[in-house]
Amino acid sequence: MIRLLTPDSVAERVENISLDSLERDGVTGLALDLDNTLVPWHTADLSVAKRAWVNQALERGFRACLVTNSYAAYAKNVSRELGVPLVGGALKPVPIAFARALHCLTLPAHRCVVIGDQLFTDVFGGKMLGMHAILVKPIATREFFTTRFMRLMERPLLARMRQTS
Ligand SMILES: [Mg+2]
């Protein structure tokens, strides 16, 4: 259980993730969380740095998709803007969410990484299917109340990880 909740690595922001090291690990598929990973919660405010990172990945031959529990229009806007397909209404961490992402990326799980800001949805959901997982710091503090509750639950786990790493 703990193994499924432990990301392979952590990064301050998406744009700090090294595409070189992903490639070295044989990872060329990116399943990207949207809210508070790529954009502030419930907005389509994509920063220049994040857009550049995704573009660079695509130019290098990475495949990418957005995986979000949201159905809303802003998710479609970000998807269109990045030219990256959207797996919306995904119900993370239910395995079907990431199964849909893998289907979209057309790569085996061990060649894909989930990048997200939540342990219990992004990391846990991806790891259950055998994907790599990178945890990023959430962009904004404003978020859905259930997400805030989940963060309280994450805290002791994150503290424990810091002690052992
Ligand atoms: Mg998120």
Side-chain angles (χ1 to χ4, degrees):
M1 179 73 179
I2 290 290
R3 191 180 55 83
L4 294 179
L5 284 167
T6 308
D8 297 286
S9 60
V10 288
E12 188 80 19
R13 303 157 191 263
V14 169
E15 59 268 37
N16 297 143
I17 297 169
S18 159
L19 294 171
D20 286 331
S21 69
L22 288 178
E23 271 178 348
R24 270 198 300 275
D25 292 338
V27 171
T28 54
L30 312 171
L32 303 166
D33 170 51
L34 193 56
D35 282 314
N36 275 338
T37 295
L38 276 184
V39 292
W41 183 73
H42 243 70
T43 74
D45 300 340
L46 202 53
S47 73
V48 172
K50 287 184 175 56
R51 189 188 318 236
W53 185 87
V54 173
N55 284 340
Q56 202 194 340
L58 296 176
E59 276 165 24
R60 284 173 68 154
F62 282 79
R63 295 177 196 168
C65 68
L66 306 179
V67 190
T68 175
N69 287 348
S70 174
Y71 287 104
Y74 74 93
K76 294 193 188 93
N77 292 341
V78 176
S79 157
R80 201 174 316 123
E81 209 175 320
L82 287 173
V84 162
L86 174 69
V87 176
L91 301 175
K92 292 180 286 184
V94 174
I96 189 77
F98 292 99
R100 282 174 64 203
L102 289 174
H103 181 75
C104 185
L105 295 169
T106 58
L107 285 167
H110 71 274
R111 298 207 43 204
C112 297
V113 63
V114 178
I115 300 174
D117 66 306
Q118 286 194 267
L119 280 183
F120 292 113
T121 53
D122 304 311
V123 173
F124 182 66
K127 291 233 129 192
M128 261 198 293
L129 289 194
M131 299 167 83
H132 299 254
I134 299 177
L135 184 73
V136 295
K137 284 238 177 89
I139 295 177
T141 48
R142 182 174 169 265
E143 54 198 359
F144 205 48
F145 71 95
T146 53
T147 310
R148 279 206 295 273
F149 172 73
M150 292 306 247
R151 293 212 191 280
L152 281 175
M153 310 281 290
E154 282 176 359
R155 232 176 260 166
L157 270 169
L158 288 171
R160 188 186 155 138
M161 265 175 235
R162 272 192 290 272
Q163 274 168 13
T164 52
S165 63

